[in-house]
Amino acid sequence: MTDRKYVAICPLGGERNIRLQSLGENYEPEALHLRILRIKADRLLGKTKVIEQPMTPKRKMRLQGTVRRKSKAHGIRALYYKWLYYLGVFKRRPKVYGSAFTTARWQLNAYIKQFDFVAKYNLKTRDDVEQRLRVVQHEISGQIDEREEVRTVLRCLETGDAEIQEQLEKIEKINAQLKKLRSEAKLCVQILEQQLQIKSKIDKAHEVKTFETERGKENGRTSDHHLEHRRNEAAPTREQRSSGSARSSDPIQRR
């Protein structure tokens, strides 16, 4: 279709381009291609009629008077509105979360999908994930080749052939299978990237733990040395404590 990363269109009468990616799954390139083929098939079979609608010009309206902001309710009126809100007469506004919460929730959902994928195919090592990725990529290439064959058959069909609808249904099934396989390939890539990040974090945690353990041992050796030195000091005997040599060491007793 195009060499651009995102396909954008400008609607009739519009001023800005709109990316097809932002319009949903029905506007993806494969879905649009399938819809165009279906419309062509319906026209060839005479099921639809093309009706050209003239483009209506834009109408500009001018507001007369002034626009005033709505005053805030007070007193009994405010209490009345409050109870209407509590009783559910007024719809409550959805709670808006911050960007940090949204990012954490998105990350949690991604982890849940990865965990379910790993449990489904019993992937235990990095080699298992890489092997599954190669299998999925091989299946994707096979589905793409099969879709091209169906499209070739569809181009060779004549007008009014009943097989057109059958071929379109085949293309639709292949597109659904391709979407599932591509999501699996994306999960495999995410798991491989997450595995490297987690491994680096574990290695850093081990380094910190080893450093703290060695430092704790060094501090323990120093304290044990001081304790052993104090234990080795000879305690004064009873004769030394009663003699003048023991008293002479005390400056208060010397006085």
Side-chain angles (χ1 to χ4, degrees), residues 66-83:
T66 58
V67 178
R68 294 181 300 176
R69 295 186 63 181
K70 193 173 182 180
S71 60
K72 191 174 181 180
H74 298 281
I76 298 177
R77 184 181 179 186
L79 183 62
Y80 173 69
Y81 287 161
K82 180 180 180 180
W83 281 106

Side-chain angles (χ1 to χ4, degrees), residues 20-203:
L20 296 181
Q21 185 185 11
S22 62
L23 298 178
E25 299 178 355
N26 295 329
Y27 290 89
E28 293 182 355
E30 298 173 356
L32 288 175
H33 186 77
L34 180 62
R35 192 185 304 176
I36 291 171
L37 291 176
R38 183 171 295 172
I39 292 174
K40 288 183 179 180
D42 291 341
R43 288 179 182 177
L44 292 174
L45 296 174
K47 293 182 180 181
T48 58
K49 296 182 180 180
V50 180
I51 301 175
E52 297 183 357
Q53 297 181 355
M55 182 177 175
T56 57
K58 293 183 178 180
R59 296 180 59 186
K60 295 184 179 180
M61 302 180 66
R62 182 174 296 177
L63 180 64
Q64 296 181 356
T66 58
V67 178
R68 294 181 300 176
R69 295 186 63 181
K70 193 173 182 180
S71 60
K72 191 174 181 180
H74 298 281
I76 298 177
R77 184 181 179 186
L79 183 62
Y80 173 69
Y81 287 161
K82 180 180 180 180
W83 281 106
L84 287 178
Y85 175 77
Y86 285 157
L87 294 173
V89 178
F90 293 159
K91 294 183 179 180
R92 300 187 179 185
R93 295 180 181 178
K95 190 175 182 180
V96 180
Y97 298 97
S99 58
F101 178 83
T102 304
T103 304
R105 184 177 61 181
W106 176 84
Q107 192 66 39
L108 178 61
N109 293 333
Y111 287 149
I112 292 173
K113 289 181 180 179
Q114 294 174 14
F115 179 79
D116 292 340
F117 181 77
V118 169
K120 180 179 179 181
Y121 295 100
N122 195 20
L123 306 177
K124 297 180 180 180
T125 61
R126 183 179 178 87
D127 295 336
D128 295 342
V129 180
E130 292 176 350
Q131 179 66 23
R132 180 59 191 172
L133 179 60
R134 287 191 290 268
V135 172
V136 172
Q137 290 175 347
H138 179 71
E139 292 180 0
I140 288 174
S141 61
Q143 292 290 332
I144 291 175
D145 295 339
E146 184 179 355
R147 185 177 62 182
E148 289 299 326
E149 293 177 0
V150 175
R151 286 177 177 176
T152 303
V153 174
L154 187 61
R155 295 188 191 100
C156 297
L157 293 178
E158 297 180 357
T159 304
D161 198 338
E163 194 178 352
I164 294 177
Q165 189 66 27
E166 182 181 353
Q167 299 298 327
L168 290 174
E169 292 177 357
K170 287 183 179 180
I171 293 177
E172 189 173 358
K173 291 180 180 179
I174 293 173
N175 288 337
Q177 186 68 17
L178 278 173
K179 184 178 179 180
K180 180 181 178 181
L181 292 173
R182 284 169 178 164
S183 64
E184 290 187 1
K186 186 177 180 181
L187 280 175
C188 290
V189 174
Q190 290 177 354
I191 291 170
L192 293 174
E193 293 176 353
Q194 291 289 340
Q195 190 265 343
L196 293 177
Q197 296 177 4
I198 293 172
K199 186 177 182 300
S200 63
K201 291 180 180 179
I202 291 175
D203 293 340

